[in-house]
């Protein structure tokens, strides 16, 4: 596709975009004191609110008003199995079977619960492979699990770092590190998409290497779910977890997602921290003391979940479905992000450096560093925010831009680059 750097070209792209109407399914924040939409490039941090959300939430409030406790059973979308109504569409987003996914807890909590089951260190095989600059919560979770098992984090954490002067890890270096430490690694835990650089990891190659060496492999999909296509089941990933407030537009702090591969569902030897919501559904209410896990990802649930949050997730999943699913969205996303990359390179290549790798190695996010003599990256960020852009700043030196195919347009990309040019 040959792009042109003009608003008229962008508007033509928007006219041809079969998903352009999806923008009307969302509330777009307005620029302060103006009746004009913001350029919202922050869906990687907090996705916008679908218009369906308040309706779905209100349905549950009304059910509670009218039915009280009976809302668990005698109605449309009863609360008792409510999480089950989310499984099919969640599974499609990550390439899983519905029985392999469940909505529960928060992301970091799920990483912990997954490590309880899937980090089984022995005296010789006790190390965990992660990135040196993993999202801090992931680092803390891994480090504390290692300590919990009585090992030394300095010894047990193998940290992947980019080459000097580079921002991204190379696939061949990750695979070489796995080979080198294969006998000592108990677990590999990496992101599907890196939060800082926007780099997409080759999950399939990493999973193949892990299986070859009999190492358990889990992924943090906070920046991957709702952004790129995945095949967790086919790739043989052991477990994964993700939040739903970023690309999944389910509201701040909404309940997280979790994937457990089917091959683990009936393994009685796996340790797990159990709760009644993970217990066999037929006998849960007999209130007896022998725990029988449900033989699906649901067996890892602890508590009855917050229904209002699940209702928001259901609204979001229905919005994805209306757009034709992640495959359709990814097609648009590739073009949209390629267009933003084209505009930035065309107009501003002397002042910015895009650290996100190209093509298949990126999702919708582009991370840029500012090289300017008169302004710091942070000052440029503050200037574009003041001019009606919402994006985010990540220490030490990156502005993250996420044109989201559900609600961003090609015209947004041109408007954004105009603002950035002025601010530089
Ligand atoms: C957003 C994000 C988190 C946030 O964790 P919560 O438990 O949802 O607060 C953790 N890890 C990664 C990689 C993230 O991108």
């Amino acid at each position: 596709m040959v792009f042109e750097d003009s608003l008229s070209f962008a508007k033509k792209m928007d006219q041809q975009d079969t998903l352009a109407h999806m923008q009307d399914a969302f509330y777009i924040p307005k620029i302060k004191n103006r009746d004009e939409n913001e350029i919202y490039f922050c869906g990687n941090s907090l996705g916008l609110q679908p218009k369906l959300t308040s309706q779905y939430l209100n349905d549950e409030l009304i059910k509670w008003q009218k039915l009280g406790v009976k809302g668990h059973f005698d109605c449309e979308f009863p609360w008792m199995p409510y999480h089950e109504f989310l499984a099919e569409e969640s599974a499609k987003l990550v390439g899983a079977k519905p029985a392999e996914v469940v909505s529960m807890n928060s992301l970091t909590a799920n990483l912990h619960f997954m490590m309880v089951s899937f980090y089984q260190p022995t005296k010789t095989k006790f190390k965990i492979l992660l990135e040196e600059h993993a999202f801090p919560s992931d680092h803390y979770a891994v480090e504390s699990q290692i300590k919990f098992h009585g090992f030394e984090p300095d010894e047990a954490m193998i940290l992947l770092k980019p080459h000097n002067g580079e921002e991204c890890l190379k696939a061949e270096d990750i695979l070489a590190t796995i080979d080198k430490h294969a006998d000592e690694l108990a677990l590999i835990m990496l992101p599907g998409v890196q939060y800082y650089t926007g780099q997409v990891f080759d999950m399939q190659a990493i999973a193949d290497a892990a299986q070859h060496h009999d190492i358990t492999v889990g992924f943090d999909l906070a920046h991957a779910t709702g952004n790129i296509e995945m095949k967790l089941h086919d790739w043989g990933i052991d477990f994964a977890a993700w939040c739903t407030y970023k690309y999944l537009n389910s509201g701040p702090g909404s309940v997280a997602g979790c994937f457990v591969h089917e091959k683990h569902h009936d393994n009685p030897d796996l340790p797990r921290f159990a709760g009644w919501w993970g217990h066999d559904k037929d006998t849960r209410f007999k209130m007896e003391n022998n725990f029988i896990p449900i033989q699906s990802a649901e067996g890892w649930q602890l508590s009855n979940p917050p229904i209002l949050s699940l209702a928001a997730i259901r609204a979001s999943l229905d919005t994805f479905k209306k757009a034709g699913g992640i495959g359709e969205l990814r097609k648009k996303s590739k073009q949209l992000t390629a267009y933003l990359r084209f505009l930035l390179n065309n107009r501003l290549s002397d002042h910015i450096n895009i650290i996100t790798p190209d093509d298949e190695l990126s999702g919708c996010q582009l991370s840029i560093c500012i090289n300017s003599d008169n302004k710091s990256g942070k000052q440029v960020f503050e200037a574009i925010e003041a001019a009606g852009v919402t994006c985010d700043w990540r220490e030490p030196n990156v502005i993250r831009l996420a044109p989201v195919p559900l609600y961003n347009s090609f015209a947004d990309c041109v408007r954004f680059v105009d603002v950035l040019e002025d601010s530089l």
Side-chain angles (χ1 to χ4, degrees), residues 129-194:
L129 180 70
L130 68 162
E131 308 162 273
E132 182 178 41
H133 288 297
F135 195 93
S137 201
D138 302 47
H139 187 101
Y140 305 149
V142 166
E143 185 176 44
S144 56
Q145 287 281 334
I146 286 170
K147 286 187 191 163
F148 180 75
H149 283 279
F151 293 95
E152 280 296 325
D154 281 351
E155 206 188 338
M157 292 166 94
I158 299 181
L159 303 175
L160 290 162
K161 8 181 178 297
H163 291 267
N164 271 345
E166 291 179 16
E167 298 280 355
C168 295
L169 292 164
K170 292 202 156 45
E172 62 265 28
D173 292 339
I174 299 175
L175 299 178
T177 309
I178 295 172
D179 277 343
K180 183 171 165 210
H181 296 280
D183 296 340
E184 315 165 308
L185 280 171
L187 175 65
I188 296 167
M189 205 166 87
L190 292 170
V193 176
Q194 219 283 346

Side-chain angles (χ1 to χ4, degrees), residues 106-109 135 137-138 195 220 222-223 243 245-246:
S106 61
L107 168 54
T108 309
F135 195 93
S137 201
D138 302 47
Y195 80 96
D220 182 325
H223 285 264
C243 49
Y245 47 82
K246 293 174 179 165

